[in-house]
């Protein structure tokens, strides 16, 4: 298996058409990188605030795109791999090619509007992911055109994953387990945190080249050690920080394979943990397992948060919680829904969430176990790196 197939787009297109029918829309339009990938399978190579893009899926007819000229060859190469779900693409220039050349920001709304006109959508009702940036000015030249910001409804289209998406996530999770094993073998006292991460990433990419040649693999992650790990995303001053014997180490591995992301995070101990460290780790692990136990079709989304928080609070560490238990995950690392701690609607089979409760004690460190889980009649835990205490104590 490589990139997502046209079968995935057919399923997404059916869902998009159903949304358009319900809302009386003539098309859907996408302007942000993750939604453009959702509609086209194109891994966008520009920042859309700087180089705006537009991907349109009409209710009838074929999809089309407006991209920046920088993407010209990237798009062609992806097309030659038979990766893309869109054939019609138009490119606009951003360099000065003559005295009468369009100026990027002032003229982009006109360029986009003329493209809609060419497809008979200048009088349509178009649902869009965002009205920010120059796309919001397109209706100024086409008063019969109505752009409707419907981001919540579009986000719902991404909740339940297609079987091919889940298979990509399983492959990415297997790679993350390999990476965690690699870290376990290499975390030692005296190593610079940033040197460790750079070295491990190099070896991860070598392994990925063996597993996924010709595909698109990325990895993001970093290591936190000692008291600095009490800040869940680091203390902002990691340069020069070394691992010390007795540290608790939070390791974060987030691979993205052909557009699908998973998370795998573990806490390790450099040598025998203190009694306090072991107790805090046990709380985090029990909270992780309680959260996973609630990831069952039909349970409220908020049950995930409630179960993990109850474990932490019952141990007396409720004041040391610094973030919700998890988040949706898929095309991006933090996928929808983004309010799961307060969301009471039933979980859907095929949704994917992280289960990452943490306990953070200032001056001591952070304790977090993070798994990626598919919702079903029984939760499917994609990440299988060892998590029991005896497995995360490293030799010194």
């Amino acid at each position: 298996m490589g990139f997502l197939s046209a079968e995935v787009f057919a399923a997404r297109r059916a869902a998009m058409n159903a949304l358009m029918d319900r809302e009386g829309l003539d098309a859907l339009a996408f302007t942000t990188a993750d939604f453009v990938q959702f509609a086209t399978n194109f891994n966008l190579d520009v920042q859309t605030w700087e180089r705006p893009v537009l991907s349109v899926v009409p209710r009838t007819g074929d999809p089309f795109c407006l991209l920046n000229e920088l993407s010209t060859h990237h798009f062609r190469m992806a097309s030659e791999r038979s990766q893309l779900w869109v054939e019609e693409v138009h490119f606009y220039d951003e360099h000065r090619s003559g005295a009468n050349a369009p100026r990027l920001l002032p003229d982009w709304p006109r360029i986009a509007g003329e493209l809609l006109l060419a497809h008979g959508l200048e009088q349509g009702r178009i649902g869009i992911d965002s009205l920010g940036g120059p796309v919001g000015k397109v209706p100024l030249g086409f008063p019969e055109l109505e752009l409707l910001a419907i981001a919540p409804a579009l986000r719902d289209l991404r909740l339940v994953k297609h079987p091919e998406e889940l298979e990509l996530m399983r492959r990415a999770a297997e790679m993350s387990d390999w990476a965690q094993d690699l870290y376990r073998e290499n975390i030692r006292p005296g190593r610079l945190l940033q040197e460790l991460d750079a070295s491990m990433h190099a070896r991860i990419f070598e392994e990925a080249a063996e597993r996924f040649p010709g595909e698109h693999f990325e990895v993001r992650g970093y290591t936190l050690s000692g008291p600095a790990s009490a800040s869940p995303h680091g203390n902002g001053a990691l340069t020069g920080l070394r691992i010390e014997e007795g540290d608790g180490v939070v390791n974060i591995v987030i691979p993205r394979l052909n557009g699908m992301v998973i998370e795998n995070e573990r806490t390790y101990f450099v040598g025998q943990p203190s009694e306090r460290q072991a107790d805090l780790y046990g709380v985090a692990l029990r909270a992780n397992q309680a959260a996973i136990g609630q990831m069952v079709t039909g349970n409220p989304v908020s049950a995930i948060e409630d179960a993990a928080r109850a474990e932490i609070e019952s141990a007396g560490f409720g004041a040391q919680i610094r973030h919700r238990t998890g988040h949706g995950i898929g095309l991006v690392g933090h996928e929808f829904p983004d309010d799961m701690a307060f969301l009471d609607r039933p979980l859907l089979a095929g949704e994917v969430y992280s289960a990452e409760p943490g306990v953070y004690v200032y001056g001591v460190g952070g304790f977090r176990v993070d798994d990626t889980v598919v919702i079903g009649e029984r939760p499917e835990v994609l990440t299988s790196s060892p998590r029991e205490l005896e497995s995360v104590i490293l030799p010194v």
Side-chain angles (χ1 to χ4, degrees), residues 269 273-286 315 317 367 389:
F269 297 100
S274 69
E275 184 176 348
R276 189 180 189 194
Q277 286 175 314
D279 287 344
L280 287 163
Y281 181 76
V283 172
L285 179 58
R286 291 195 299 275
F317 295 105
F367 304 83
L389 179 60

Side-chain angles (χ1 to χ4, degrees), residues 118-142:
H119 288 81
L121 292 171
E122 76 282 1
Q123 296 180 340
R125 298 179 77 245
I126 300 178
I128 193 166
D129 58 343
S130 173
L131 285 173
V135 73
K137 297 180 180 179
V138 173
L140 295 178
F142 300 89

Side-chain angles (χ1 to χ4, degrees), residues 216-371:
H216 188 74
F217 176 85
E218 306 164 78
V219 67
R220 180 171 64 88
Y222 48 93
T223 305
L224 307 173
S225 186
S229 65
S231 177
H233 289 165
N235 68 353
L238 295 179
T239 303
L241 192 62
R242 295 181 183 272
I243 298 170
E244 297 182 12
E245 185 173 349
D247 277 357
V249 175
V250 178
N251 181 248
I252 299 158
V253 177
I254 306 175
R256 187 173 190 253
L257 178 61
N258 299 339
M260 301 304 295
V261 182
I262 68 95
E263 289 185 355
N264 186 336
E265 302 177 10
R266 293 293 184 264
T267 299
Y268 299 110
F269 297 100
V270 185
Q272 194 66 29
S274 69
E275 184 176 348
R276 189 180 189 194
Q277 286 175 314
D279 287 344
L280 287 163
Y281 181 76
V283 172
L285 179 58
R286 291 195 299 275
N288 163 269
Q289 295 299 293
I292 292 171
Q294 293 299 317
M295 292 181 164
V296 175
T297 305
N299 280 354
V301 176
S302 57
I304 301 169
E305 168 80 11
D306 293 343
R309 191 181 66 252
E311 283 288 342
I312 297 172
E313 290 177 344
S314 68
F317 295 105
Q320 279 70 49
I321 298 174
R322 290 292 175 266
H323 56 76
R324 65 185 185 270
T325 295
H327 51 81
I329 194 166
L331 283 171
V332 291
H334 278 232
E335 185 65 271
F336 314 107
D338 55 3
D339 58 349
M340 58 182 285
F342 308 96
L343 189 61
D344 295 328
R345 63 116 170 126
L347 288 162
L348 306 172
E351 288 188 88
V352 184
Y353 289 88
S354 70
E356 51 177 304
V359 181
Y360 303 93
V361 180
Y362 197 85
V364 178
F367 304 83
R368 182 166 76 249
V369 182
D370 180 7
D371 289 295

